[in-house]
Every structure is written in C-alpha cells, then in structure tokens.
Amino acid sequence: MRSRVVPADAQGVAEAAKLLLAGGVVAFPTETVYGLGGLADEPGAVAAIFAAKGRPPINPLIVHVLDEAAARALVDWTPAAGALAASFWPGPLTLVLPRRPEAEVAPAVCAGLPTLAVRVPAHPVARALLAAVGRPIAAPSANPSGRLSPTRAEHVAGGLALPLVLEGGPAEVGLESTVLDLSGPRPVLLRPGGVTREAIERVVGPILVSDGDPDRPTAPGQLLRHYAPRARLRLEADAPRPGEAWLGFGGIPEGTHPALDLSPSGDLDEAAAALFGALHVLDAAGCPWIAVAPIPERGVGVAINERLRRAAASTD
Ligand code: TXA
Ligand code: MG
C-alpha cells in the first residue's frame, strides 16, 4: 500500500477528522515536524500508531491539545507549567507532568509511566484537526521508529504506508519540540528542540539538562537510536574528503558534489528548518558518507547538534 497524500484544505481536514473519529490514524503537519496522529483515548488508534512506526512500546507518545485548559484536564498543573504555557504555547514546547488519574488517555500512550507529555501545536492544520475532533490527539513524528523525522509530506509517504497524509508544505521549525520534564523538583530538559534552553530559563530560571544516560528511565526516547539516515555522518568536518557528500553551514567548498548548505548566511533557525530535508536529500543521493560542517553550539544550534550526533552514532 502507498500513502494517500491530500492537500490540507478544509476538505482534507474534514476527511482526516472523520478517519480519526472512526479510530484510524492520519499524518498531519505541525510547525515542528509531521505527526502521525490518532485519538489519544482510543486504544486501537494508539496501538495502530505504535504498529505503523514499529515503535517500541516503552517509548511514550506526546498528546496534542488545543489549549492550556485541555492540557490541564490531562495532567497535574504547576505554576512553572503555567508560566511556560503563557510564553510558548501554542508552539514547539512539550511539557511532561504527572498524569491525572481521571485523564482519558489510552494507557499505552504513557508506556507505563505516571507522567504524560502534552503539547499545544501552533500549526493551523494541526489546530483545525484538533478542533474538528474535539479530543486530544496522540502523535509522535510520522517516521519509522529510529529514522529521520519528516519535515515534508513526501518524507512521510516515503517512509510509511498510511491511509491519509495531509500535505501542508514544509515544516517551519524543522526540529521536534523541546521536551521539558516538570514532574520532579526541578525542570529537566529531556530533548532540546525548537524552544531553546535560554528561552526556557528566562521564564523559570535555571533548569537541569538530561545527560542522555541510556539507563535513565525518565527519558525513554533517549534509550533509542534516533534520526538515522542510511549514510554515515562525519561531524565538524573542515572540508569534504573524496567521495563524501557535504552538508554545509555558511558556505560550500568549491567543486563539492553533492552538497547542500543549511544556511548560506549562517542563520541557525534557517539551518534547523533545513536539516532533516537536507539529510533526506543527501541520503537519497546514495553517498555512503556525509561530511557535516561545524554548527555553533548556541541557541537552536544545540538541538541541531544533538540530532546530528544521534544520526552520526547510528550503526546501520
Ligand atoms: O515536535 C514534536 O514533538 C513532534 C510533533 C509531531 O508534535 N512529535 C514528536 O514525537 O517528536 P516523538 O514521539 O517522535 O517524540 C516524543 C518524545 C520521545 O522522546 C518520548 O520518549 C518523549 O517525547 N516522551 C513522551 N512522553 C514522555 C513522558 N511521559 N516522559 C518522558 N518523555 C516522554
Ligand atoms: Mg520521533
């Protein structure tokens, strides 16, 4: 089966909502990456998400809601959550909080954890879909588990066979949301992303950063190899070696082919938006190695480098 890709216009959204309400799954654009959604309170839909991605059942899903009030129906709210929601929602920040006992969420969403990850997306199509179904939508990134996240509908269709993919253009942020755990005494950054650590600390003060220790059970996503292109990556490269593709930042050495520049002007937001698409393209070109220029470790560059390190560490 091939995925059916339709424009994310009113008709497409209505069709997607109908599929969701019937217990199905659909892919849709968000401002970060494309998501694979199903109703969070439908165990069959949640099981279908795990099955489609080949996602290990220990890795919990993010639940998308329309606003703070809908989030508060699912999790125990805190003042820090309120301050962060006021600053960054709707937008690319996911908050992990204790799940309320009465929250209507299929148990598999939380993968056995007492916490739940909630996010209010900014993308108009994601919001239209949430409004149309009137219930929370569980949605991980719409890629096979361990592979690159999709920033375009064609990436989704290239990786998964789905009944419906809403085509809404390239994702604006291009990296997954920042995941912040607010369930303990101090906020812990579990995954760097579209909202930077500095921006979060301006609102709630100093936060802890997860060390990515694979034995830490609180960050299940970090147990897994992620963001794996087929090509191997060589990071912080000065120049391409013979036979290597080049992924540049602020310039491409003359005569290099294939080569892409994440941002000719050296802009980190532009680079973040371009990263996964560029890796998809260079991967499709079939080079065994991609050399990657150094990316500054500041702002959203931290999240770019984290994705690149994971991609480089993969072994298949
Ligand atoms: O930008 C995004 O967040 C995208 C779009 C579609 O919203 N979604 C996304 O989902 O990236 P996914 O499943 O690919 O990544 C979710 C991350 C995983 O690392 C997962 O382990 C973590 O969030 N997570 C989910 N629930 C959690 C929880 N209760 N405690 C700790 N980590 C959690
Ligand atoms: Mg993912």
Side-chain angles (χ1 to χ4, degrees), residues 30 32-35 53 55 59-62 64 94 96 113 115-117 119 139-141 175-177 179 190-191 218-222 226:
T30 84
T32 56
V33 299
Y34 276 69
K53 283 181 60 84
R55 185 176 178 107
N59 196 6
L61 306 181
I62 294 174
H64 297 67
T94 295
V96 173
L113 296 173
T115 53
L116 181 68
R119 162 161 131 76
S141 50
L175 296 178
E176 302 86 347
S177 61
V179 180
L190 297 181
R191 178 174 75 181
T218 50
Q222 296 169 341
H226 255 75

Side-chain angles (χ1 to χ4, degrees), residues 229-246:
R230 279 173 190 82
R232 304 298 311 273
L233 300 191
R234 188 168 66 82
L235 304 185
E236 313 222 15
D238 297 329
R241 295 174 182 155
E244 281 182 339
W246 178 252

Side-chain angles (χ1 to χ4, degrees), residues 289-313:
W289 282 91
I290 302 170
V292 187
I295 311 286
E297 184 76 2
R298 61 176 151 78
V300 79
V302 173
I304 296 174
N305 283 323
E306 193 257 3
R307 304 305 192 273
L308 284 169
R309 278 193 294 273
R310 284 172 184 265

